[in-house]
């Protein structure tokens, strides 16, 4: 654990030094504050908590931004060290390869956590103070923050996989953007296309739920919107399924799968890699 | 060769796709030996070091270090105290020299208090708080050496430790390496600067195109190569004929300039020739003996290749 801690601290210091934490915090914080203030504006006769509306709006924002931020943090983590030559030296020190990956993961996760906590948390506090709004729905907001961190964690690990599969940094960044485009944009577009074509409803609800489970961004949407499903604010593809068909346990298991399987793949590939 | 081998390579072959980088290497290195790997670029020296470090696995054959497979029993092996300086050492550019050393010291579970002394020993005290991106190649090389010596390891692998250093710094670095050898550490150095490492070498391994051409102590290699000892003489006028007559059969003579003669003799005849010269009394005004250098031995064993030192010079141009 000591080696993991040392490596995580180094990553965290790098994050502070190169202003990653500051930029992610400013980006997430300012957008969250803007959305929350807009959400707290009087919205007609329907009385809905501004934090709940905030969750819906922020979920749509986070699902695009956070995977990209996580991939940008992690795509370079291994291929960059190989390319610059620092990995060669690191591997001659008494630490296992899984500890290198874990150390980077913990460091990057803390960077994301700090930025999310300060950005989203701070924005919620400020919006409540400014708009004098109700704090109702805070548990949904908190769940959104935690699940955002999990979404970030999943894409960090996917980023390490990209970082190992690509032989050069330039290839890794291309691959990372491709991965982002696939999971965040193309996958859902594809599903929507299939739904539109499937007029005879050949695709069952179960199959559709399963197809949602194999995309971490859809997992995130379903998780956050399921708590609000009674409020009628749900838009996007997540609204196309009967959310009750995916239990929280199933969602959490799928999320853990998305964390563990790529992580084990990274460790396996890294072990075999010659320097 | 040491009876109890610290490092043992048996019929080691390393192939990268169709390219064979090492072709059946057999080598045993005993604890406390100071080994110099000599060879031109691409001879397989770095590959051999990486195999010993367990960073790569042999395609065929076995590598053992302390009786363990370095690619499998890494943590146990590395904890026993190993220092490595890669050929092209690289550090995290945004960290300062001192931060880099602290980082590696913590990974080795060594006290960070020793870092200042190490930086001083490689002459980087003044630059220790500067980011690595402002360091010259030579400074990075010295920092690399400092990190290799963290925790005073029993076993040092130094891949071209003086590349990029000026002559004064080279001398300092070899001073450090000499001290480690004298302390009984096992040191493996690969170098292009053959004549510089001559003093350090208990054992020289000459490599060419993935094979060990020859290996042994410096004395053994001198004998094996049968290279002449060159003796430069400053003599009185008209002595050359007398000299040729006296040294006939034991040394060759060549008149190389005004009152200057160059003699060549075998290692065994060296003392006989010197005694003969001494008997000439005041006819010989000055003597300078030049034993064969490692460069000459290298050229003897690999005649078709340029000497590594020359090649390096060419690289710089």
């Amino acid at each position: 654990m000591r080696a993991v801690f040392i490596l995580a601290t180094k990553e965290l210091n790098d994050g502070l030094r190169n202003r990653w934490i500051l930029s992610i915090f400013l980006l997430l914080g300012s957008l969250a504050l803007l959305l929350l203030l807009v959400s707290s504006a009087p919205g007609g006769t329907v009385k809905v908590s501004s934090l709940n509306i905030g969750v819906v709006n922020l979920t749509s924002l986070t699902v695009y931004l956070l995977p990209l931020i996580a991939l940008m943090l992690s795509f370079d983590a291994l291929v960059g060290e190989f390319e610059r030559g620092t990995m060669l030296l690191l591997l001659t020190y008494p630490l296992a390869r899984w500890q290198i990956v874990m150390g980077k993961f913990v460091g990057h996760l803390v960077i994301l956590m700090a930025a999310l906590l300060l950005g989203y948390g701070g924005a919620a506090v400020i919006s409540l103070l400014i708009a004098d709004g109700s704090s109702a729905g805070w548990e949904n907001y908190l769940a959104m923050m935690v699940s955002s961190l999990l979404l970030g964690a999943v894409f960090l690990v996917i980023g390490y996989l990209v970082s190992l599969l690509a032989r050069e940094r330039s290839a890794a960044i291309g691959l990372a953007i491709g991965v982002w485009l696939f999971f965040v944009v193309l996958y859902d577009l594809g599903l929507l296309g299939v739904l539109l074509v499937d007029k005879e409803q050949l695709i069952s609800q179960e199959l559709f739920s399963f197809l949602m489970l194999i995309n971490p961004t859809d997992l995130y949407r379903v998780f956050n919107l399921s708590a609000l499903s009674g409020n009628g604010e749900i838009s996007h593809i997540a609204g196309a399924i009967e959310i009750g068909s995916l239990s929280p346990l199933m969602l959490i298991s799928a999320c853990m799968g998305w964390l563990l399987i790529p992580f084990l793949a990274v460790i396996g590939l890294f072990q075999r890699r010659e320097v | 060769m040491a009876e109890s081998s610290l490092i043992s390579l048996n019929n080691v072959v390393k192939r990268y796709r169709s390219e064979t980088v090492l072709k059946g290497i057999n080598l045993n290195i005993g604890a406390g030996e100071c080994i110099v790997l000599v060879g031109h670029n691409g001879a397989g020296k770095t590959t051999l070091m990486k195999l010993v470090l367990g960073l790569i696995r042999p395609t065929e054959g076995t590598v053992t270090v302390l009786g363990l497979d370095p690619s499998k029993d890494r943590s146990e092996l590395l904890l026993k105290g190993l220092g490595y300086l890669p050929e092209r050492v690289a550090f995290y550019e945004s960290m300062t020299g001192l931060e880099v050393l602290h980082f590696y010291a913590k990974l080795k579970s060594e006290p960070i208090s020793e870092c200042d002394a190490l930086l001083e020993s490689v002459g980087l005290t003044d630059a220790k708080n500067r980011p690595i991106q402002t360091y010259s190649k030579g400074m990075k090389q010295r920092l690399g050496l400092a990190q290799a010596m963290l925790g005073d390891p029993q076993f040092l692998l130094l891949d071209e430790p003086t590349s990029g250093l000026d002559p004064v710094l080279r001398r300092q670095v070899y001073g450090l390496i000499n001290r480690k050898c004298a302390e009984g550490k096992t040191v493996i150095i690969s170098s292009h600067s053959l004549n510089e490492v001559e003093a350090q070498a208990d054992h020289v391994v000459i490599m060419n195109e993935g094979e060990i051409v020859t290996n042994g102590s410096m004395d053994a290699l001198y004998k094996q190569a049968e290279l002449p000892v060159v003796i430069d003489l400053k003599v009185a006028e008209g002595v050359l004929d007398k000299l040729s007559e006296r040294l006939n059969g034991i040394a060759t003579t060549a008149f190389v300039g005004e009152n200057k003669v160059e003699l060549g003799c075998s290692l065994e005849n060296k003392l006989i020739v010197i005694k003969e010269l001494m008997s000439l009394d005041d006819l010989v005004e000055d003597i300078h003996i030049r034993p064969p250098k490692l460069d000459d031995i290298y050229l003897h064993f690999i005649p078709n290749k340029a000497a590594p030192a020359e090649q390096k010079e060419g690289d710089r141009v």
Side-chain angles (χ1 to χ4, degrees):
Chain A
M1 281 315 288
R2 188 183 145 82
V4 172
F5 177 75
I6 295 164
L7 288 164
T9 311
K10 184 208 159 279
E11 291 301 329
L12 193 59
N13 284 334
D14 285 351
L16 284 169
R17 208 189 317 248
N18 58 27
R19 312 273 191 276
W20 255 111
I21 296 180
L22 186 70
S23 2
I24 304 171
F25 152 64
L26 287 177
L27 181 72
L28 295 180
S30 53
L31 286 171
L33 187 61
L34 194 71
L35 284 174
L36 284 172
L37 290 176
V38 168
S39 310
S40 67
T45 52
V46 183
K47 192 72 185 165
V48 181
S49 149
S50 64
L51 278 182
N52 274 342
I53 302 176
V55 168
V56 176
N57 291 337
L58 275 176
T59 300
S60 307
L61 172 80
T62 309
V63 95
Y64 285 96
L65 267 186
L66 215 62
L68 193 63
I69 291 170
L71 286 168
M72 289 303 103
L73 270 175
S74 59
F75 87 92
D76 185 47
L78 299 167
V79 73
E81 293 233 17
F82 278 117
E83 204 168 290
R84 284 185 286 265
T86 45
M87 186 63 85
L88 180 65
L89 202 53
L90 198 58
L91 290 176
T92 62
Y93 276 76
L95 71 169
R97 293 191 179 196
W98 70 264
Q99 289 176 312
I100 296 178
V101 181
M102 188 55 101
K104 286 179 178 292
F105 177 68
V106 173
H108 288 149
L109 200 64
V110 173
I111 291 176
L112 281 184
M113 193 165 70
L116 274 170
L117 208 62
L118 293 170
Y120 282 5
V125 171
I126 294 171
S127 81
L128 289 178
L129 289 175
I130 293 177
D132 197 23
S134 145
S135 63
W138 67 269
E139 62 276 19
N140 289 335
Y141 194 83
L142 189 67
M144 185 274 297
M145 281 173 63
V146 174
S147 58
S148 298
L149 186 63
L150 273 175
L151 178 71
V154 166
F155 276 90
L156 280 178
V157 181
I158 294 174
Y160 301 140
L161 197 56
V162 164
S163 198
L164 260 186
L165 291 173
R167 287 277 157 176
E168 289 164 13
R169 291 178 71 211
S170 50
I173 194 161
L175 196 54
I177 290 171
V179 164
W180 178 81
L181 208 61
F182 174 77
F183 282 119
V184 178
V185 183
L186 299 179
Y187 188 85
D188 287 356
L189 280 180
L191 275 190
L192 277 176
V194 170
L195 277 185
L196 286 174
V197 173
D198 183 33
K199 284 178 181 152
E200 291 169 18
Q201 298 205 325
L202 293 172
I203 297 175
S204 65
Q205 181 71 39
E206 287 73 28
L207 177 62
F208 196 73
S209 300
F210 174 75
L211 288 174
M212 298 282 275
L213 281 179
I214 56 174
N215 182 348
T217 60
D218 285 335
L219 279 178
Y220 173 77
R221 281 195 185 103
V222 172
F223 177 81
N224 281 297
L225 301 181
S226 62
L228 305 164
S229 56
N231 290 336
E233 300 101 336
I234 300 166
S235 55
H236 197 267
I237 192 165
I241 66 161
E242 194 185 318
I243 280 169
S245 64
L246 293 171
S247 69
L249 187 69
M250 208 187 282
L251 291 174
I252 291 168
S253 310
C255 183
M256 286 300 129
W258 264 111
L259 269 178
L260 275 177
I261 295 167
F263 196 86
L264 291 175
V266 170
I267 304 291
L269 284 171
F270 194 19
Q271 291 287 4
R272 292 222 310 271
R273 178 81 167 260
E274 294 194 329
V275 188
Chain B
M1 202 69 63
E3 283 175 17
S4 59
S5 293
L6 175 77
I7 300 163
S8 184
L9 289 94
N10 297 307
N11 296 316
V12 171
V13 174
K14 182 63 188 172
R15 246 177 251 122
Y16 290 106
R17 292 194 178 91
S18 59
E19 193 188 356
T20 307
V21 184
L22 291 179
K23 303 166 184 167
I25 298 287
N26 286 298
L27 183 67
N28 290 295
I29 298 170
E33 279 192 278
C34 189
I35 310 291
V36 177
L37 299 177
V38 181
H40 61 278
N41 291 331
K45 308 184 297 288
T46 300
T47 307
L48 196 150
M49 282 199 177
K50 285 184 177 178
L51 279 166
V52 171
L53 286 162
L55 295 172
I56 54 175
R57 290 174 288 275
T59 315
E60 288 170 31
T62 55
V63 179
T64 54
V65 181
L66 291 162
L68 301 168
D69 178 346
S71 66
K72 288 181 184 152
D73 307 298
R74 294 190 51 72
S75 51
E76 198 179 336
L77 196 70
L78 296 171
L79 286 169
K80 300 220 185 253
L82 177 136
Y84 173 54
L85 173 68
E87 185 183 1
R88 275 181 287 273
V89 67
F91 298 108
Y92 303 106
E93 296 277 317
S94 59
M95 292 166 96
T96 66
L98 191 61
E99 282 170 346
V100 162
L101 221 50
H102 280 181
F103 171 70
Y104 288 116
K106 285 180 203 161
L107 283 179
K108 255 188 177 176
S109 303
E110 294 297 334
I112 56 170
S113 52
E114 71 169 293
C115 295
D116 279 310
L118 273 172
L119 284 169
E120 195 182 341
S121 71
V122 293
L124 284 177
T125 303
D126 292 341
K128 70 178 181 181
N129 292 320
R130 274 169 45 191
I132 302 295
Q133 57 211 8
T134 66
Y135 277 29
S136 66
K137 186 177 184 287
M139 289 164 88
K140 285 182 190 168
Q141 192 74 9
R142 281 182 282 154
L143 184 62
L145 199 66
Q147 71 74 33
M149 293 188 181
L150 272 168
D152 198 19
Q154 288 299 310
F155 180 26
L156 277 169
L157 282 128
L158 310 172
D159 203 349
E160 306 204 17
T162 55
S163 93
L165 299 186
D166 61 48
V168 177
L169 288 171
R170 279 180 192 206
R171 189 167 288 193
Q172 274 182 21
V173 167
Y174 280 117
L176 274 173
I177 296 172
N178 265 340
R179 227 176 299 151
K180 294 293 165 190
C181 292
E183 286 168 11
K185 315 285 189 219
T186 308
V187 184
I188 301 182
I189 310 168
S190 84
S191 183
H192 286 288
S193 314
L194 309 183
N195 291 332
E196 287 175 27
V197 293
E198 196 166 341
Q200 279 77 35
D202 291 333
H203 194 125
V204 179
V205 178
I206 298 181
M207 295 184 72
N208 185 35
E209 293 177 354
E211 289 173 307
I212 292 178
V213 179
T214 186
N215 84 83
S217 66
M218 286 297 294
D219 284 346
L221 292 188
Y222 280 137
K223 281 177 190 155
Q224 198 183 336
E226 294 180 335
L227 291 175
V229 175
V230 177
I231 303 172
D232 296 312
L233 299 178
K234 193 174 175 195
V235 292
E237 270 182 56
V239 176
L240 189 60
D241 288 344
K242 194 174 179 183
L243 207 61
S244 301
E245 189 186 312
R246 292 284 286 271
L247 299 175
N248 191 21
I250 54 169
T252 58
T253 51
F255 190 62
V256 290
E258 198 181 341
N259 299 339
K260 285 183 181 166
V261 179
E262 190 180 277
L263 301 182
C265 69
S266 68
L267 212 56
E268 295 88 66
N269 286 339
K270 184 176 72 180
L271 275 178
I272 302 170
V273 172
I274 291 170
K275 278 178 189 162
E276 284 292 334
L277 291 173
M278 291 297 104
S279 68
L280 289 170
D281 293 332
D282 53 352
L283 294 178
V284 176
E285 292 172 3
D286 195 11
I287 294 180
H288 177 65
I289 301 170
R290 286 188 283 142
K293 294 283 186 187
L294 202 50
D295 271 346
D296 303 323
I297 294 178
Y298 179 84
L299 281 171
H300 171 82
F301 286 108
I302 311 176
N304 295 328
K305 294 282 177 187
E310 289 166 17
Q311 201 173 33
K312 193 72 182 171
E313 290 300 323
D315 288 346
R316 282 195 204 108
V317 175

